[in-house]
Amino acid sequence: MKTALCLFSLAAASLTGQTWSPQAAAGYLDGRLQWWSTWSGAQRDHDTFCISCHTVLPYALGRPALRSALGETAPSSPEAALLALHAPLADTTLALDNMLGEQLTSGAAAGAWPWLQFHNAPWEGDSQFMGATLAALALGRAPAAYPAKPTLQPVLGNLRRYLAAQRPHQTLLDRLLLAWAANSLSGLLTREERLATLHEAVSKQQDDGGFSLSQFVGPWKRKPWKRKDDTPLETRSDGYATGVVALVMRESGMSASAEPLRRTLAWLSRNQDAAEGRWPAWSLNKNRELNSDAGRFMSDAATAFAVMALSGEK
């Protein structure tokens, strides 16, 4: 076990020029899931809790990427508890079937799915497009036999039409996530469209090699470059934007030795919090204390995307 971890650390060093700690990242992610699952604000009926966009969803995406580095052969204890509590998550086919049944079939959002509108960017505001993108990602990574289901083709047709019609109106962040999904599900973007989106994202790279989320969402319509509480958006590089860009770069086939990706991975490797294992990211909505529970929401997502990018997992 220790030998495997040492080898992984050497591989990470050769890839980024620095090392980072998978153990610390796993500890942070597991701890945050456990906190969220018991927090009163997250509780729902039937003894379940919200599958939050900022903590639980990124956890489900990112935590498995650490298994190889940690020598795990099965889901971690918090992962297993999450799957046991939300039973459909453990049955991929059942979960996908349930999702198909919720697709909107009429109105301006036909082809998408109902989505929370708390007016909190980047997930719980005008982000129905992002929800449809995540559905596309799930369908693109479905079990091999699933695409043969007769009920799937109308869903895919409606989804592709919705994404194509709405894409020109989306933030760069949402278009970048669509480029990520397009690597798994055909018919969402042409190769030229994927590369153009990635090129636009890379053009935002900062001098330190990272990316700032504020550059991916643009100014607020009523309060340019300010949050709801009139504080300015954070312009420093953050783990969420940098992790997302690095992941899309890798899955688009960019070599780890290519200058933009090499610098991005190096930023991620340098900027893991040594004490907590997380990557920093700041709220787009309020000037939150970074060490408060709510202030950590962005770091929860940042950490999940950072480990997916650094681990080379899709």
Side-chain angles (χ1 to χ4, degrees):
M1 174 72 166
K2 289 182 179 179
T3 301
L5 293 177
C6 288
L7 289 173
F8 181 84
S9 294
L10 289 173
S14 66
L15 186 65
T16 66
Q18 303 286 335
T19 58
W20 59 283
S21 172
Q23 299 97 320
Y28 177 78
L29 290 170
D30 286 344
R32 286 294 290 169
L33 177 67
Q34 290 170 327
W35 169 78
W36 177 262
S37 68
T38 59
W39 182 49
S40 60
Q43 303 310 299
R44 297 296 183 266
D45 58 5
H46 296 88
D47 296 320
T48 62
F49 52 86
C50 171
I51 303 295
S52 54
C53 301
H54 47 70
T55 299
V56 183
L57 174 59
Y59 178 89
L61 289 170
R63 184 59 178 83
L66 292 169
R67 286 183 198 156
S68 177
L70 299 176
E72 296 172 339
T73 57
S76 64
S77 294
E79 283 182 89
L82 174 65
L83 293 170
L85 186 60
H86 296 272
L89 293 176
D91 185 330
T92 303
T93 298
L94 177 59
L96 289 170
D97 285 345
N98 288 340
M99 184 183 77
L100 299 190
E102 297 296 325
Q103 188 184 42
L104 299 172
T105 57
S106 61
W113 276 261
W115 201 252
L116 294 174
Q117 293 293 330
F118 292 157
H119 305 292
N120 287 327
W123 306 294
E124 298 160 346
D126 298 327
S127 46
Q128 191 166 35
F129 183 90
M130 191 202 73
T133 297
L134 291 173
L137 182 69
L139 291 169
R141 299 184 178 189
Y146 199 79
K149 290 177 68 71
T151 55
L152 183 58
Q153 298 313 308
V155 170
L156 288 175
N158 290 335
L159 175 59
R160 289 182 175 119
R161 283 188 290 273
Y162 169 82
L163 291 171
Q166 297 299 322
R167 183 174 69 91
H169 312 297
Q170 306 307 311
T171 66
L172 177 56
L173 175 64
D174 283 340
R175 288 184 282 115
L176 188 62
L177 291 172
L178 178 61
W180 179 35
N183 290 323
S184 298
L185 184 64
S186 64
L188 300 181
L189 294 173
T190 65
R191 180 176 181 275
E192 291 72 22
E193 288 170 335
R194 291 202 308 273
L195 292 176
T197 299
L198 188 56
H199 178 76
E200 184 180 355
V202 170
S203 73
K204 307 292 185 183
Q205 191 164 32
Q206 306 212 109
D207 291 342
D208 62 2
F211 294 83
S212 171
L213 185 56
S214 63
Q215 298 293 321
F216 285 74
V217 297
W220 299 111
K221 293 180 180 179
R222 289 178 293 177
K223 298 180 179 180
W225 298 108
K226 288 189 176 182
R227 302 178 176 105
K228 295 181 192 176
D229 57 6
D230 285 325
T231 59
L233 290 171
E234 180 58 65
T235 59
R236 284 179 288 175
S237 295
D238 64 81
Y240 182 64
T242 307
V244 169
V245 175
L247 181 62
V248 179
M249 283 181 182
R250 297 197 71 159
E251 295 205 9
S252 296
M254 185 179 293
S255 169
S257 62
E259 184 70 6
L261 180 52
R262 184 190 65 77
R263 294 178 61 222
T264 305
L265 292 173
W267 186 95
L268 289 171
S269 184
R270 290 194 309 269
N271 284 276
Q272 184 185 26
D273 185 289
E276 294 194 51
R278 63 171 167 161
W279 276 262
W282 293 270
S283 172
L284 292 171
N285 307 296
K286 294 181 180 180
N287 184 19
R288 301 184 188 277
E289 168 55 48
L290 199 61
N291 291 323
S292 67
D293 284 325
R296 294 173 191 269
F297 289 156
M298 288 301 304
S299 292
D300 297 348
T303 302
F305 276 92
V307 300
M308 283 192 284
L310 287 166
S311 301
E313 295 290 343
K314 295 184 177 181

